[in-house]
Structure formats: structure tokens, C-alpha cells
Amino acid sequence: MTTEKKSSEPVELEFEEDENPERGNWTGKLDFLLSCLGYAVGLGNVWRFPYLCFKNGGGSFLIPYFLMLAIIGIPTFLLELKIGQYSAKGPVTLYSHLSPLFKGLGFVNFISQCFVGLYYNMIIAWTIYYFFASLTSELPWQYCHNDYNDQVCFSFSGYKDCEALRLNQTATGIENNIIYLNRTCIQDTAQLSMIRKDLESWYGSKKKLNASC
């Protein structure tokens, strides 16, 4: 009768190694999905797209938009994902492997992305700044005494003060001769008559005012 001797040597478990250790792989489908959403959805979807819809016809703009999205947008997006996932290379290396003639196309793609990153990060920085600035009690753009304001700056607080002065004079029986223009509450008779004579250049209006206005 023979007995088999069991081996006491430890058994090494084999794990599946990453076939692309330099660039790495996705840990799951959710990582890939969230990365695609972060790439496709940005500030322009919330800020730029509604403006373009309003400027180009409102709801009718959605008809050619969804048409071109189905014909060109989605197929191009899926093609880019397929090529990128299959090759696991950057645009310059990828296009040069497809054809030496396309190497310049890869450099153009890289340079364009650099320019997009510059201006897009600046827009995001403005958004963050104005978001926190809007939480203050006095808004930085509320008044017209900033360095970036020009002569035609309009201040709601200055207009309200001028309007309150005009209503106060009207209530006390004084003739209403007050206009808020160029950050100033104008009461001088000579300036008022000059403005009334040329309303089209000052306000873009051809309406004639009475002398008592």
C-alpha cells in the first residue's frame, strides 16, 4: 500500500496583470461612464446651450440640433471612444500609427486641446469667483466706482437715489427736472435742455418730451 505525500510548498495564486501598466485601465464600467460624462457634459451645456437655443429660434433650433446629433455627433463620439480604448494611445501617436500623413492631425488635436484648456479654465475660475462674490451683502458690480466701469455704467442704487429725490421734489411741489444719466443725477437746466434736444443720441429714442418732464 502506497501513500502519496502531500506537498507542503505554498501555492502561488496567479492574478491577472494589467496589460497596459503605463496608462492603466478602468477599474469598472462605472469609472468609464463617469469619465465619459465628465468629458461630454461641461459648463457650456448649462450656460452656452440655452443661449444658442434662444438666439437661433428657440424650440425650432432643437430639430436640426438633434438631427445633426444623431447623424454626426453620436457616431463621431463613439468612434473616438472606440479608437481611444482600443489603441490606448495619445492623439499624436495614434494618428501617426494610422498613417504617417495623419501625424500633423494629431499635433493639431493636441494644440487645440491646450487652447481649450486655457480659456475653459479661465471661464470656470470666473464662475467660481462670481458665485462666492454673489453671496456677499454688497455685490462688487452693484456700484459704478470700480476701475473697469466706463462713463455709461448704470447703477440701480444710484438710479433709486435719483428717483427718490425726484419723487420728493414732486411731492413738495417742485418742478420735476431730474434725469439719471452717466452715473449722475442731473438737475442742471442747461444740461437737461441739451439732453432733451437730442434724445436719439442719448437714449436711442425719437420720443419728444414736454418741458415739464
Side-chain angles (χ1 to χ4, degrees):
M1 184 176 180
T2 59
T3 58
E4 295 181 359
K5 186 181 291 184
K6 295 182 179 180
S7 176
S8 60
E9 296 180 358
V11 179
E12 295 183 359
L13 299 177
E14 295 183 359
F15 295 96
E16 184 180 355
E17 296 182 357
D18 191 351
E19 70 274 8
N20 192 6
E22 294 183 0
R23 296 178 63 91
N25 285 328
W26 305 105
T27 57
K29 295 181 180 180
L30 184 61
D31 293 350
F32 177 71
L33 177 62
L34 294 177
S35 298
C36 289
L37 289 176
Y39 170 76
V41 180
L43 185 64
N45 300 92
V46 182
W47 168 45
R48 182 74 175 170
F49 183 74
Y51 165 74
L52 291 177
C53 286
F54 174 77
K55 186 178 180 181
N56 294 278
S60 60
F61 172 76
L62 298 178
I63 299 175
Y65 171 77
F66 283 114
L67 182 62
M68 299 306 296
L69 181 66
I71 297 176
I72 297 178
I74 295 179
T76 306
F77 180 71
L78 294 177
L79 179 63
E80 183 180 356
L81 289 179
K82 290 288 186 180
I83 295 176
Q85 289 297 304
Y86 178 77
S87 63
K89 298 181 182 297
V92 178
T93 308
L94 171 61
Y95 284 111
S96 62
H97 277 71
L98 291 177
S99 175
L101 296 175
F102 293 162
K103 189 173 183 179
L105 184 61
F107 281 107
V108 172
N109 193 340
F110 173 74
I111 295 174
S112 63
Q113 292 299 321
C114 291
F115 281 110
V116 169
L118 288 176
Y119 88 84
Y120 200 77
N121 289 331
M122 181 61 66
I123 293 176
I124 294 176
W126 284 346
T127 305
I128 296 175
Y129 168 75
Y130 284 111
F131 172 74
F132 286 102
S134 63
L135 300 178
T136 58
S137 58
E138 292 187 358
L139 300 176
W141 54 88
Q142 182 177 357
Y143 304 102
C144 291
H145 52 70
N146 302 294
D147 297 334
Y148 52 82
N149 294 130
D150 56 6
Q151 188 63 25
V152 295
C153 175
F154 184 84
S155 174
F156 281 100
S157 58
Y159 171 76
K160 289 181 179 179
D161 295 338
C162 186
E163 183 70 10
L165 180 61
R166 186 186 67 81
L167 293 176
N168 186 28
Q169 291 189 3
T170 304
T172 55
I174 303 177
E175 186 179 0
N176 178 16
N177 281 324
I178 298 178
I179 294 178
Y180 181 76
L181 184 66
N182 292 344
R183 302 187 296 178
T184 307
C185 198
I186 302 176
Q187 304 182 55
D188 184 67
T189 307
Q191 293 183 3
L192 290 174
S193 60
M194 181 184 64
I195 295 172
R196 289 193 179 98
K197 291 178 181 178
D198 195 6
L199 290 177
E200 186 174 0
S201 62
W202 288 100
Y203 293 99
S205 174
K206 298 181 179 179
K207 180 180 178 181
K208 296 182 179 181
L209 297 179
N210 298 326
S212 59
C213 292

